[in-house]
Every structure is written in C-alpha cells, then in structure tokens.
Amino acid sequence: MNTVHRANERYGDPPRESPRDSEVLIVVDPQSDFCPGGALAVPHGDEIMPLVNRLARRFAHVILTQDWHEPGHASFASAHAGRRPYDTIALAYGPQILWPDHCVQGTAGAEFHRDLDIPRAELIVRKGFHPGIDSYSAFRENDRQTPTGLAGYLRERGFGRVTLCGLATDFCVLYSALDSRAAGFETAVALDACRGIDLDGSLGKALAAMRAAGVWFI
Ligand code: VGL
Ligand code: ZN
C-alpha cells in the first residue's frame, strides 16, 4: 500500500451526522471599522449584528473572516502620494480601489463589532495581511491567485454548502460568494444580514454578478 493511499485512509471524508453538518455560515468582516463611526463605515453596517447572531444560531458550524492589514497597506490611499480614498490605481495585479486606512492589525477598528455574539465560531480567516495585495474574498486575494486556504479547509471538513452574510455586500461578500461558487460549493447569501458600500452602482452590479454565478439569495 503506498503512502498516498494510507494518507487518504487516515484523513478521508469526516463522518456526517446530519445534513446540517455539511453546511457552514461564513460571516464576512463584521468589524468595527466597517460600521458607523469606523474608518470605512458601511452605511447601517451595525444593524446586521443582531440578525447575524440569530442566523448563526441556526447553523451547526460558523466561520468568521477578519480584514487584517498592516500599516501602510497597498490598498490604503495614504500609501500612495497624491491619491485619495476611492481613487482607482493600477497595482502589479491590476486595478485596485484605494480605501481609507482601515482594519489595521491590532487596532480597535479591526476588532469584531461589540454586538457580534458568536462564541461558537470555529475558525477566523484573516485576509489582506500581505502588504502588497488586497483581499476582498475569503478564498483568494485580489491578484486572483494567492489562496487563503479556506477552500481546502472547507473540503477537508466536508462542507458542501456555504451561506454568506456580512460586510460589505458589494466587495468582500461579493468576491467571497463568486469564489465559493468557483471552488465548487453550493452558495447562498443572506442579503438581510449584509450591507453594501455602493460605489458607482457597485451594489446593483454585485447582485447581478452573484445571480449570474448561481448564488442563491435567502
Ligand atoms: C472591504 C474594502 C476594503 C470589505 C474590505 O470588507 O468589503 N472593502 N477592505
Ligand atoms: Zn480591507
């Protein structure tokens, strides 16, 4: 018996007790900086927290993501002389919208919002920690190549269906939902438990793109 076969035996599909065990809720970036009063406030972002808490109770498994940038991150307008927040520039991997400094590692703004109450969450995926690459998606950074490891984690845990909620609908939720589909997961977005930024009609475009990719809205 070769080693590959042995490894498969040891790390094969985990046993499933109920269909609920193949479903996971991913709460995207429920952080203070994305809520009113924060550095990159999504309008009414804080309103989703009670809904997210309630939604989480209906899932056997919950994952959180956390936007997590170093000071001077390439996605910060402040890192580019003469640029302002919401300008678009060309980075090595393509166009990148510049943001106000936000979710800097270890700061209060990077913490989960005080009303978030999901102590059961099983994994926190941090993203955006590479100084030169932004990461909207929980799966793949904005160069569209560097993986976060989440798809492998979900597969190894035996999850087949992903439900997303969080901030912001038209950036991190959108990119996470499209990449979840691309990685082969059945994917739903709980729109009530999301809020968008809506830059130049980005919210409408996001909903259309998710629908076209086969994302369910619940
Ligand atoms: C996000 C812009 C920059 C988000 C994160 O969570 O949607 N948007 N970083
Ligand atoms: Zn960010």
Side-chain angles (χ1 to χ4, degrees):
M1 191 189 294
N2 64 39
T3 13
V4 172
H5 190 188
R6 274 230 193 89
N8 282 345
E9 277 181 352
R10 221 180 303 155
Y11 298 112
D13 290 342
R16 293 270 79 90
E17 288 117 42
S18 83
R20 273 163 56 83
D21 280 312
S22 69
E23 290 191 31
V24 63
L25 177 71
I26 302 181
V27 185
V28 175
D29 300 358
Q31 291 165 265
S32 297
D33 266 346
F34 295 124
C35 292
L40 177 38
V42 178
H44 308 285
D46 55 333
E47 290 173 3
I48 68 167
M49 302 305 163
L51 267 107
V52 169
N53 294 339
R54 234 178 297 141
L55 187 60
R57 274 179 230 123
R58 309 218 307 250
F59 283 79
H61 305 285
V62 183
I63 291 171
L64 310 176
T65 74
Q66 192 171 26
D67 211 40
W68 196 248
H69 303 304
E70 279 189 53
H73 190 260
S75 75
F76 293 173
S78 63
H80 305 272
R83 296 299 184 158
R84 309 230 312 243
Y86 312 106
D87 286 352
T88 298
I89 62 160
L91 290 185
Y93 54 77
Q96 170 68 48
I97 300 174
L98 296 178
W99 305 103
D101 292 20
H102 66 279
C103 298
V104 174
Q105 297 169 2
T107 64
E111 284 172 16
F112 292 120
H113 190 270
R114 74 185 96 81
D115 295 339
L116 188 80
D117 182 23
I118 317 180
R120 280 191 309 113
E122 294 166 11
L123 176 73
I124 298 170
V125 180
R126 286 177 167 167
K127 59 184 182 59
F129 51 77
H130 288 124
I133 318 174
D134 202 4
S135 190
Y136 297 150
S137 165
F139 292 87
R140 237 183 338 173
E141 305 194 10
N142 285 13
D143 60 1
R144 315 309 292 136
Q145 287 186 344
T146 306
T148 63
L150 179 59
Y153 175 89
L154 295 180
R155 273 190 214 110
E156 193 167 1
R157 292 286 314 276
F159 296 125
R161 182 184 163 95
V162 169
T163 299
L164 292 150
C165 64
L167 307 171
T169 320
D170 40 350
F171 288 92
C172 290
V173 175
L174 165 69
Y175 279 76
S176 298
L178 296 180
D179 282 348
S180 174
R181 288 293 298 139
F185 300 104
E186 200 184 318
T187 307
V189 170
L191 283 179
D192 285 358
C194 298
R195 290 293 184 277
I197 297 176
D198 206 12
L199 279 182
D200 302 322
S202 57
L203 191 51
K205 284 182 213 154
L207 298 179
M210 288 192 276
R211 197 172 285 122
V215 174
W216 300 101
F217 295 134
I218 56 169

